[in-house]
Amino acid sequence: MTSTQQRSELQRQIWQIANDVRGSVDGWDFKQYVLGTLFYRFISEHFTSYMESDDADIDYAQLTDTDIDADIVDDAVKTKGYFIYPSQLFINIAKNANKNDNLNTDLANIFKAIETSASGYPSESDIKGLFADFDTTSNRLGNTVKDKNTRLAAVLKGVAGLKFGQFKDNHIDLFGDAYEFLISNYAANAGKSGGEFFTPQYVSKLIVQLAMHKQTSVNKIYDPAAGSGSLLLQAKKHFDSHIIEEGFFGQEINHTTYNLARMNMFLHNIGYDKFNIMLGNTLTNPGFGDAKPFDAIVSNPPYSVKWIGSGDPTLINDERFAPAGVLAPKSKADFAFVLHALNYLSSKGRAAIVCFPGIFYRGGAEKKIRQYLIDNNYIETVISLASNLFFGTSIAVNILVLSKHKSNTNTQFIDASGEDFFKKETNNNILTNEHIQQIMDIFDSKADVTHVAKSVSFDTIAANDYNLSVSSYVEAKDTREVIDIIKLHAELKTTVAKIDQLRRDIDIIVAEIDG
């Protein structure tokens, strides 16, 4: 089955599950149940594979829980980070789901058992609360236990029906694709800004390639607004695992999305000792200060979100913000995320950050921060992308590339918003691999390309009031029809002469009639 066929089948199956529970579970909540069930299935399969170790004589799902001794549990938790008994496996729960009158409480107990299996082990913080958003006893599933069980069974059976073989053998990112499909179908309808939690895979590819460009190895990769972890995982997919030496780090403020990010790490076989996702406000309670600097930073922070800013007088002395001499506006935290990333960036690394276009031309504090960044030669490139690339918003975003090892004081501007840089697909525009490579080639060369790219000197930017809008430096292609005025004038003279002759002919005919 090709990747396109797998993706279509996945979407068809999810839509069928949605139809089975439609009218009872809000689309946004439904998303959590599908993703939670996908995660439950996949970690069950991962754990089964680990316990069987390719031994054809072992069928872990058929063993009884009493066959498992304490040493086996201890060894498995130390290696995998958690433990699942045979009776708790997804396959064993799903096959009898329709007949289980205690399905909702059984699932709740299983999820709790999986989480508590890590208690006292190094993986405890990575496992704790993973299933917090999969509330099997919630009235959102129905008012009666029977109703709850019926809908839970429908989701379990639907996910069990995904016939894609082993997770590791799939051509697509099942979890990412499922999330993307659910977000695109439910985010706008549910009236919630779900799109901000997910960076489409094609945009993630570009951001990661920019951040890791020509780095043969990085110590670790970091996302200060990790969302569901899609950017961090794209780094794993795009580069051989050995290039990222110390693992994947991220911080996320939203509890539900924080859980999704941790699930995503496990689903992509990133061991609990190779990732560290923290819950909290990156701007006011930053984590990983002891882990910096990072050779690669990728981020798609929330656009123009409010923050405390000058309302906390201590922040102006924070080492992240103090060098700029000013804080990002309280109503627009965009540059606070940029300065945070810059502070965490190593001298050899790059940060690639999705930004709201307004921060590149507005005045006030934002202009002062731009001046600080340009005066200190931290901005390598500003890239404008096409509109409608993200779910839930049609805005045309920019990517800001920060570097502390530039070879000159020029800043590169790339206009990748034209029709040569995206493909129209259903309700959204997308970037193909060819579009991404095209942008990367321009980024790498730093050469000027008419109507597309220009490297601009420090003096020019300073003279332009530190405006960093791509349109200020890259002249847009004039797509208007070219008109030959001389030819048009001649054609008009000919036309007027014909009209005049026609009028004379009509006058003669009228005179003859009257006569």
Side-chain angles (χ1 to χ4, degrees), residues 131-392:
F131 291 97
D133 295 295
F134 197 142
D135 186 357
T136 64
T137 62
S138 171
N139 285 335
R140 291 176 300 180
L141 286 167
N143 294 322
T144 68
V145 171
K146 183 178 180 180
D147 288 342
K148 292 180 176 66
N149 289 340
T150 298
R151 282 153 193 151
L152 285 170
V155 177
L156 287 169
K157 289 293 186 181
V159 171
L162 295 173
K163 307 294 185 183
F164 292 155
Q166 292 296 310
F167 176 68
K168 61 182 174 63
D169 297 327
N170 289 318
H171 296 293
I172 62 173
D173 175 3
L174 277 175
F175 196 67
D177 276 45
Y179 190 31
E180 188 168 323
F181 177 69
L182 289 160
I183 287 288
S184 63
N185 278 277
Y186 289 117
N189 295 336
K192 302 182 181 181
S193 53
E196 73 184 71
F197 301 141
F198 187 80
T199 307
Q201 294 176 43
Y202 41 83
V203 180
S204 296
K205 282 183 183 180
L206 174 60
I207 294 170
V208 166
Q209 290 187 43
L210 289 166
M212 299 182 72
H213 183 60
K214 288 188 174 178
Q215 296 198 67
T216 55
S217 66
V218 299
N219 61 353
K220 48 209 165 193
I221 187 165
Y222 168 59
D223 186 345
S228 63
S230 54
L231 277 166
L232 294 175
L233 291 167
Q234 192 60 235
K236 181 179 186 296
K237 290 173 65 176
H238 187 72
F239 295 89
D240 293 334
S241 58
H242 69 268
I243 199 173
I244 302 171
E245 297 165 354
E246 298 175 43
F248 305 79
F249 296 74
Q251 186 164 348
E252 172 57 36
I253 193 172
N254 180 282
H255 193 277
T256 295
T257 322
Y258 157 72
N259 284 337
L260 287 174
R262 292 189 296 157
M263 288 181 182
N264 240 336
M265 297 296 126
F266 282 108
L267 289 177
H268 289 80
N269 282 324
I270 299 176
Y272 69 88
D273 57 335
K274 286 296 184 182
F275 76 84
N276 193 342
I277 308 294
M278 292 184 63
L279 177 65
N281 188 321
T282 296
L283 300 182
T284 58
N285 189 25
F288 308 118
D290 294 336
K292 65 182 184 181
F294 295 86
D295 290 343
I297 297 177
V298 292
S299 193
N300 176 18
Y303 309 144
S304 299
V305 70
K306 294 179 181 179
W307 75 309
I308 191 170
S310 58
D312 180 353
T314 66
L315 285 174
I316 193 60
N317 299 316
D318 189 301
E319 65 175 10
R320 299 169 296 164
F321 312 125
V326 65
L327 295 171
K330 294 169 70 173
S331 61
K332 305 175 184 69
D334 308 73
F335 266 130
F337 284 103
V338 170
L339 292 174
H340 171 90
L342 181 67
N343 179 258
Y344 276 51
L345 185 64
S346 74
S347 59
K348 70 183 279 281
R350 282 190 180 90
I353 307 167
V354 179
C355 295
F356 182 81
I359 71 170
F360 294 103
Y361 59 80
R362 290 190 296 239
E366 291 178 317
K367 177 196 167 184
K368 292 180 181 178
I369 294 173
R370 292 198 303 273
Q371 181 172 349
Y372 162 72
L373 293 172
I374 290 294
D375 286 350
N376 288 277
N377 204 29
Y378 289 137
I379 298 182
E380 181 173 0
T381 303
V382 181
I383 305 171
S384 64
L385 296 180
S387 61
N388 215 29
L389 289 173
F390 291 78
F391 300 118

Side-chain angles (χ1 to χ4, degrees), residues 492-508:
L492 286 173
K493 285 182 66 177
T494 300
T495 301
V496 169
K498 289 180 178 179
I499 292 173
D500 289 342
Q501 182 60 50
L502 183 60
R503 284 174 174 165
R504 287 193 293 271
D505 292 344
I506 292 173
D507 288 343
I508 293 173

